[in-house]
Amino acid sequence: MLKAENIWKSYPEDKGRLTVLRGVNLEVHANEIVVVLGPSGSGKTTLLNILGTLDKPDTGKVWIDGRDTSTLDDSELARLRNEKIGFVFQFHQLIPELTVVENVLLPSIIRGRKPNIDFGMELLKLVGLQGKAFHYPAELSGGERQRVAVARALINLPSILLADEPSGNLDEESSDLLHNLIYRVIKDRKMAAVIVTHKNRMMKIADRCYQLSKGVLNEVRCLR
């Protein structure tokens, strides 16, 4: 479903290059939640961006549904992302001028499809926000905005969900509600999911857990 092999990534800095990822290997299958833990600056977001083809590794390869993404041009990668991957970001990135349901429908519009409002409303019902479909993001709480972001990530029925610190800005109660929602969504739709976070609480919903430290990814025991 999603496979990364020997991923290395570095960036230029004043005294040479800063190596962020060192030979990372990871494989995620359908109906599986992988959580990657690490402090701020450990390379979690870089890894997620590479898995989602938003960034390219210096060396190594990423396969999505058996396709070697290094062989695809920019337009093919954009199509692959839109069709196969749902993204949930730490900062929800909702468009303030659009209503909740319009934000949810946006990826399908970008894909060139006629907006399926009924399906958008179904997704909002799934995340418990059908009553706020025509509100604007500014009228929602932080937890509600993140739930909208989850619904938006599902509108194109992706097979892979990538989440970057999805509860990073939420209190514990809101975090747990969001974690449980993400778990239900992934398991109901049998998606492959990678969630990067600094919160150990996220380990409760994981099938496998990893620690990213000094660019090296190591499997660790999940906490229950």
Side-chain angles (χ1 to χ4, degrees), residues 64-135:
I64 295 177
D65 286 350
R67 298 182 71 183
D68 178 356
T69 60
S70 68
T71 67
L72 306 179
D73 62 27
D74 288 346
S75 62
E76 290 171 324
L77 287 173
R79 190 179 310 115
L80 181 71
R81 283 192 295 270
N82 193 265
E83 293 176 355
K84 297 288 186 180
I85 304 173
F87 292 94
V88 180
F89 301 99
Q90 177 178 1
F91 302 101
H92 46 78
Q93 296 185 358
L94 302 182
I95 297 178
E97 296 81 11
L98 300 182
T99 65
V100 164
V101 70
E102 288 170 340
N103 269 284
V104 170
L105 294 171
L106 189 59
S108 64
I109 296 171
I110 292 172
R111 190 173 174 178
R113 291 179 170 180
K114 181 180 179 180
N116 186 339
I117 296 178
D118 289 341
F119 185 47
M121 294 297 289
E122 181 182 333
L123 290 175
L124 286 174
K125 183 177 181 180
L126 176 69
V127 301
L129 290 174
Q130 66 272 32
K132 297 191 176 182
F134 300 103
H135 287 59

Side-chain angles (χ1 to χ4, degrees), residues 15-80:
K15 297 181 180 179
R17 297 189 69 84
L18 172 66
T19 301
V20 179
L21 300 175
R22 300 173 181 271
V24 168
N25 294 287
L26 183 65
E27 192 166 343
V28 191
H29 301 280
N31 201 32
E32 185 176 39
I33 301 172
V34 168
V35 166
V36 177
L37 294 155
S40 177
S42 62
K44 302 187 307 295
T45 296
T46 298
L47 174 60
L48 207 68
N49 287 342
I50 289 174
L51 295 176
T53 75
L54 294 172
D55 197 0
K56 294 182 179 181
D58 297 336
T59 61
K61 292 186 177 183
V62 173
W63 282 267
I64 295 177
D65 286 350
R67 298 182 71 183
D68 178 356
T69 60
S70 68
T71 67
L72 306 179
D73 62 27
D74 288 346
S75 62
E76 290 171 324
L77 287 173
R79 190 179 310 115
L80 181 71

